[in-house]
Amino acid sequence: MSFEEHYQENCIFCKIARGEVPCLKVYEDQEILAFLDTSPASKGHTLVITKEHFDSMLNVPEDLLAKTFRVAQKIAQALETKLGAKGINILTNIHEIAGQSVHHFHVHIIPRYGPNDGLKLECTPLKLEKFNLPVIANDIKSSI
Ligand code: 5GP
Ligand code: ZN
């Protein structure tokens, strides 16, 4: 099935995938597109999307997911070698509570340039005694 058949009318990334909204492309093949984020968290912040619409990573078929992350790896390598990134964060937000604002699967590639680059993705660890880790591990394991 072509990506055009899963087009969502009000989806900005579907419009970008179809060329209806412009973007600064850094990679394109039949299934995947990568372009610069217009509200970058750092210089070279890139988004990798599947051309076909999936609401989030949870719905993406395995082979397409693998291809997306292969492209993400290539872009991360280019950010290091060409833009001089000292580190890179790769992330995908799933649902609004996690910060997803565009509901078309995308992976953020965010280059990091130094300890004072103004980006903070760290979290404060919770106290370990709040959780029964073996039970949690088993809950997850048993439903995969
Ligand atoms: P999310 O918050 O859903 O994980 O990330 C969506 C990203 O898409 C944001 O970083 C936002 O800046 C970017 N974005 C939203 N609209 C556009 C657009 O029209 N063009 C481009 N290039 N990026 C966009
Ligand atoms: Zn879409």
Side-chain angles (χ1 to χ4, degrees), residues 2 10 23-24 41 46-47 59 66-67 69 91 104 108 125-126 129 138:
S2 94
N10 293 316
C23 70
L24 283 166
T46 301
L47 301 171
N59 314 109
K67 286 178 187 169
F69 276 90
L91 66 108
H104 177 132
H108 293 263
L126 298 173
E129 52 272 21
N138 203 51

Side-chain angles (χ1 to χ4, degrees), residues 3 13 21 23 27 49 52 61 68 86 91 93 96 101 104 107 125 129-131 136 142:
F3 75 90
F13 287 178
V21 165
C23 70
Y27 176 87
I49 70 168
E52 190 171 346
T68 307
K86 302 282 182 278
L91 66 108
N93 298 324
E96 281 174 22
S101 60
H104 177 132
V107 177
E129 52 272 21
K130 280 183 69 134
F131 303 106
I136 294 168
S142 63

Side-chain angles (χ1 to χ4, degrees), residues 29 74 90 103 123:
D29 62 33
K74 289 261 180 217
I90 295 183
H103 296 274
C123 62

Side-chain angles (χ1 to χ4, degrees), residues 48-64:
V48 188
I49 70 168
T50 52
K51 289 184 174 179
E52 190 171 346
H53 182 98
F54 300 98
D55 290 344
S56 78
M57 195 186 96
L58 298 183
N59 314 109
V60 182
E62 224 174 285
D63 61 330
L64 210 43

Side-chain angles (χ1 to χ4, degrees), residues 108-121:
H108 293 263
I109 320 291
I110 305 174
R112 306 297 299 266
Y113 296 97
N116 302 315
D117 64 8
L119 274 166
K120 286 241 176 302
L121 299 172

